[in-house]
């Protein structure tokens, strides 16, 4: 249990059996009445963001979320298999939990796995990853870096928009949060 006066960004609350991560909060003292705590909360499982106002000093349940750096090994019929590099324990995470992170996940890559009471909640990837273009249409003579974009398929199967001058086989940096092309590598 914690008080709403103790809220911190990143803290995970257990409200009515659902886990909510505090994204933002502010103590507010209206002209009349008691102090309240305004907050923006993100549902850990669905990603839905809501605004919630608490009375000051209200008791809220906090949830313990275990965040461990793990290495992605392979995909099998049960899901994505990760290994804790500290104790070599393997954990299979269902595809629904991995979600869109699968588009940027390569074997042997490190990721943060967040779990609550032994149940995996979500996967956090680095802000950007380097991936190889496995297919894109060839550029045409006269294409320049300040032109349009074209679709490209990456080694994970994800599709992103890239500048016209890029070719199959090149490595690019991709933002894992938005799927945007960030630049050419090497």
């Amino acid at each position: 249990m914690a008080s709403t006066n103790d809220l911190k960004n990143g803290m995970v609350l257990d409200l009515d059996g659902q886990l909510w991560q505090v994204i933002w909060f502010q103590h507010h003292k209206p002209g009349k009445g008691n102090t309240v705590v305004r907050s923006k909360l993100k549902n850990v499982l669905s990603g839905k963001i809501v605004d919630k106002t608490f009375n000051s000093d209200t008791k809220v349940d906090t949830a313990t979320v275990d965040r461990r750096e793990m290495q992605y090994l392979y995909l099998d019929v049960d899901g994505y298999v990760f290994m804790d590099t500290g104790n070599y324990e393997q954990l299979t995470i269902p595809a629904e939990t991995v979600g869109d992170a699968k588009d940027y996940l390569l074997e042997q890559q490190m990721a943060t796995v967040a779990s609550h009471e032994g149940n995996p909640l979500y996967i956090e990837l680095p802000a950007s990853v380097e991936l190889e273009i496995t297919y894109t249409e060839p550029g045409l003579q006269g294409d320049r870096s300040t032109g349009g974009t074209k679709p490209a398929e990456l080694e994970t199967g994800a599709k992103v928009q890239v500048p016209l001058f890029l070719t199959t086989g090149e490595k690019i940096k991709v933002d894992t949060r938005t799927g945007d092309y960030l630049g050419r590598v090497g």
Side-chain angles (χ1 to χ4, degrees):
M1 285 293 248
S3 159
T4 52
N5 293 335
D6 302 328
L7 290 184
K8 291 181 177 52
N9 289 342
M11 182 183 250
V12 178
L13 306 177
D14 185 345
L15 303 175
D16 302 323
Q18 293 191 22
L19 298 180
W20 298 86
Q21 184 173 25
V22 177
I23 297 174
W24 171 88
F25 70 96
Q26 175 186 43
H27 294 270
H28 178 68
K29 174 81 170 123
K32 291 188 220 168
N34 296 331
T35 303
V36 294
V37 178
R38 293 180 176 159
S39 65
K40 261 193 200 313
L41 305 175
K42 178 180 178 183
N43 187 301
V44 171
L45 296 177
S46 71
K48 177 180 172 186
I49 295 178
V50 297
D51 292 319
K52 186 146 176 76
T53 303
F54 299 97
N55 287 327
S56 179
D57 215 22
T58 301
K59 298 291 180 205
V60 289
D61 285 329
T62 56
T64 305
V65 175
D66 178 30
R67 295 163 49 94
R68 292 192 293 174
E69 191 74 11
M70 299 184 93
Q71 183 179 38
Y72 170 57
L73 297 179
Y74 57 89
L75 172 64
D76 69 10
V77 293
D78 297 325
Y80 293 79
V81 180
F82 285 81
M83 177 182 69
D84 185 325
T85 54
N87 61 12
Y88 303 107
E89 183 180 306
Q90 292 188 6
L91 174 68
T92 302
I93 301 176
E96 309 85 66
T97 304
V98 173
D100 292 339
K102 72 178 179 346
D103 292 339
Y104 310 106
L105 202 54
L106 285 175
E107 291 181 1
Q108 309 309 314
Q109 182 179 336
M110 298 303 287
T112 301
V113 176
S115 57
H116 173 65
E117 296 176 353
N119 298 320
L121 299 173
Y122 58 89
I123 308 294
E124 267 180 25
L125 295 174
S128 65
V129 292
E130 295 176 4
L131 297 170
E132 186 178 319
I133 297 173
T134 54
Y135 179 76
T136 187
E137 294 290 331
L140 301 171
Q141 182 63 34
D143 287 344
R144 297 289 177 257
S145 61
T146 58
T149 60
K150 62 182 177 179
E153 187 169 325
L154 305 177
E155 57 188 307
T156 58
K159 291 181 176 35
V160 297
Q161 291 293 318
V162 299
L164 296 169
F165 62 85
L166 288 175
T167 60
T168 300
E170 288 191 80
K171 271 197 174 281
I172 61 170
K173 189 177 272 196
V174 180
D175 187 318
T176 58
R177 297 163 300 211
T178 61
D180 292 341
Y181 164 81
L182 295 176
R184 197 178 348 188
V185 177

